[in-house]
Amino acid sequence: MSSGSIKQALNTLKQESRSRTSHRVSQWFKWLAPGIFVKRWLLLSAGGVVMVALGLAIWVKLTPIFYAIQLIQEVISAIATYVPNYISGPLVLVCGVLFILWGQSRTVGSITEVLLPEGDEELIDVLLTHRRLHRGPKIVAIGGGTGLSTLLRGLKAYSANITAIVTVADDGGSSGRLRREIGVLPPGDIRNCLAALASEEKLLTELFQYRFRAEDGLTGHSFGNLFLTAMSEVTGDLEQAIAASSQVLAVRGQVLPATLSDVRLWAELADGRRIEGESNITKAGGSITKLGCTPEKPPALPRALQAIEEADFIIIGPGSLYTSVIPNLLVPEIANAIAARCRGDETPPIPAIYVCNIMTQPGETQGYTVSDHIRAIDAACGQKLFNAVLVHRKVPSERSLLRYAQENSHPVFLDRDVVARLGRRVVLANVMDEDQETGLVRHNPYALSQVLLRWYSRAQ
């Protein structure tokens, strides 16, 4: 190896050593940050040690303590005789500080090895994140389908106080089969939301979302749907099954069904047809004039009502307007609770916002503008549930527009003047992800959550 290569390797090692030292120092300074509830307990422990020493001294009438102090004094005097106090004092002080730091670092290191065996994060970073998330606002997000799970994936980075209220009107796919064959409430949307809020290892979440492909009776079913169905049978109802699954996945927040009733949607179309079943409504391909459910007024889950009453911020959507968002609001108690919090009947009013879809949906919202979405929700509930609407600002690329046009889908047009007359503020932001290969457009979970939390902080 040449001398130049050796010098370069030595410089690299020095830089890495400085970087590691700087990292350790910064990590130690984090322990001094306010709000992590560590320093107060260390001081309390130190105070306890002092009190134990004083108690022993009083108990034994100070005799052993006196001789111990006398011995220490003689040792210190002997040291000071040979080594000046301006040298021995700082030297002993530095050694004491080093012993304290060494002992504390080894203690923290031993705890970290147990709690974080993979070593991906520092313990102090985990503590700071935990404290920050649990101080986050109490957010209630209402919807279903892929839209709500997309939103939750971003929100969990800002708060651990999240409640997702999810529709249970789905009757298609794996959820529909389980609903027909076993008689359980459809678990599909709930499964997606649990997976979105999970903070457990990635492998466990992937297992929960795994869909069987074998040519047998399990084809099309997801493991999470079967797990929730089995847990419903074991625990007695879907609410308890969700709570148990949340513990398995270490869910950040909670997921709740809007109701435990066996809700079935129906829709009246402009051409006079009446379509029953959530999966059939979109397939009918007509213009929806009215949406309802059987039973007509399903009772709300009490914990869902409690979450709304305690909420700091309510988000409705995104998701399919008639089959994911409005079904939750057909539960009268939920709609009334949201309206009361938005108006501030008994408590100060809180911000509530509707996240409008980026594209229209064939069979549900073809030709709809932003104001049409708002009017549909107002008509279904008979009252005002939110005071702002979030609309994506930028138009998708020509490739995406052509792809969606083939399915009779187009960007939702913002008719700002009509929205203003409906008494809603407009929040414009770029919150879209566009797949360059397929042309699909979706809300970006992190950009969407960032915009929502920024608006919430301003709207308080």
Side-chain angles (χ1 to χ4, degrees), residues 168-392:
V168 287
D170 186 12
D171 61 2
S174 170
S175 293
R177 287 170 58 190
L178 292 171
R179 185 175 185 173
R180 290 187 298 271
E181 295 170 6
I182 303 179
V184 297
L185 291 177
D189 289 348
I190 292 170
R191 182 201 79 240
N192 286 330
C193 292
L194 287 171
L197 287 176
S199 55
E200 192 48 80
E201 61 183 52
K202 186 172 180 286
L203 181 61
L204 194 56
T205 305
E206 288 179 352
L207 173 63
F208 207 68
Q209 291 287 66
Y210 175 77
R211 194 171 295 275
F212 292 96
R213 299 180 180 86
E215 295 298 328
D216 54 30
L218 294 179
T219 302
H221 282 304
S222 72
F223 175 82
N225 283 359
L226 297 176
F227 183 85
L228 284 170
T229 300
M231 287 300 297
S232 296
E233 295 291 319
V234 171
T235 60
D237 60 45
L238 183 59
E239 182 182 2
Q240 297 299 321
I242 295 170
S245 302
S246 298
Q247 293 180 355
V248 172
L249 295 173
V251 164
R252 192 172 292 169
Q254 61 178 344
V255 179
L256 302 174
T259 178
L260 293 179
S261 296
D262 186 15
V263 174
R264 297 184 183 275
L265 294 181
W266 56 261
E268 293 180 359
L269 308 183
D271 58 12
R273 287 181 294 165
R274 179 186 171 99
I275 308 298
E276 295 188 0
E278 182 264 352
S279 59
N280 296 324
I281 292 174
T282 303
K283 294 177 184 177
S287 177
I288 299 171
T289 58
K290 186 177 181 180
L291 186 75
C293 67
T294 304
E296 184 179 355
K297 296 180 179 180
L301 189 73
R303 285 177 62 198
L305 295 177
Q306 181 183 359
I308 294 172
E309 292 170 1
E310 297 174 354
D312 300 319
F313 185 24
I314 294 176
I315 304 170
I316 301 174
S320 300
L321 178 63
Y322 286 105
T323 54
S324 291
V325 175
I326 291 181
N328 294 287
L329 308 177
L330 294 177
V331 181
E333 292 172 305
I334 286 183
N336 293 335
I338 296 171
R341 291 309 315 276
C342 188
R343 291 192 303 260
D345 291 351
E346 298 180 0
T347 57
I350 64 170
I353 191 169
Y354 169 60
V355 181
C356 191
N357 290 335
I358 299 172
M359 308 295 291
T360 61
Q361 185 174 354
E364 287 201 36
T365 58
Q366 60 268 31
Y368 270 40
T369 63
V370 174
S371 66
D372 290 328
H373 283 75
I374 297 172
R375 275 193 286 255
I377 295 175
D378 289 351
C381 305
Q383 54 191 327
K384 181 179 176 180
L385 300 188
F386 52 89
N387 42 36
V389 55
L390 190 151
V391 182
H392 177 65

Side-chain angles (χ1 to χ4, degrees), residues 13-232:
L13 289 173
K14 288 179 181 178
Q15 290 175 359
E16 290 179 354
S17 177
R18 291 195 200 101
S19 177
R20 285 195 297 268
T21 303
S22 175
H23 176 71
R24 289 196 202 98
V25 171
S26 65
Q27 293 300 109
W28 272 106
F29 272 110
K30 286 181 181 179
W31 286 99
L32 302 177
I36 58 173
F37 301 156
V38 171
K39 301 182 296 298
R40 65 189 65 183
W41 306 121
L42 289 176
L43 290 173
L44 185 63
S45 300
V49 171
V50 173
M51 292 183 68
V52 167
L54 289 174
L56 288 173
I58 294 170
W59 193 3
V60 299
K61 298 181 181 180
L62 300 178
T63 304
I65 307 298
F66 171 77
Y67 287 119
I69 293 174
Q70 191 176 35
L71 176 62
I72 293 171
Q73 184 178 3
E74 291 177 357
V75 171
I76 293 174
S77 299
I79 293 174
T81 302
Y82 299 100
V83 183
N85 61 342
Y86 59 84
I87 294 177
S88 58
L91 184 62
V92 173
L93 180 63
V94 168
C95 290
V97 170
L98 289 176
F99 284 149
I100 292 173
L101 292 177
W102 187 23
Q104 291 297 318
S105 66
R106 294 310 304 160
T107 300
V108 172
S110 299
I111 296 173
T112 303
E113 287 177 6
V114 175
L115 298 180
L116 304 170
E118 295 181 2
D120 294 335
E121 292 183 271
E122 294 283 350
L123 181 60
I124 181 59
D125 292 329
V126 174
L127 285 173
L128 288 171
T129 300
H130 176 81
R131 295 298 181 192
R132 177 180 61 82
L133 293 176
H134 281 77
R135 288 196 299 264
K138 295 179 180 178
I139 302 172
V140 171
I142 300 169
T146 58
L148 181 59
S149 59
T150 298
L151 170 65
L152 296 176
R153 199 169 292 113
L155 284 180
K156 71 179 182 181
Y158 294 92
S159 177
N161 304 311
I162 302 171
T163 298
I165 299 178
V166 187
T167 177
V168 287
D170 186 12
D171 61 2
S174 170
S175 293
R177 287 170 58 190
L178 292 171
R179 185 175 185 173
R180 290 187 298 271
E181 295 170 6
I182 303 179
V184 297
L185 291 177
D189 289 348
I190 292 170
R191 182 201 79 240
N192 286 330
C193 292
L194 287 171
L197 287 176
S199 55
E200 192 48 80
E201 61 183 52
K202 186 172 180 286
L203 181 61
L204 194 56
T205 305
E206 288 179 352
L207 173 63
F208 207 68
Q209 291 287 66
Y210 175 77
R211 194 171 295 275
F212 292 96
R213 299 180 180 86
E215 295 298 328
D216 54 30
L218 294 179
T219 302
H221 282 304
S222 72
F223 175 82
N225 283 359
L226 297 176
F227 183 85
L228 284 170
T229 300
M231 287 300 297
S232 296

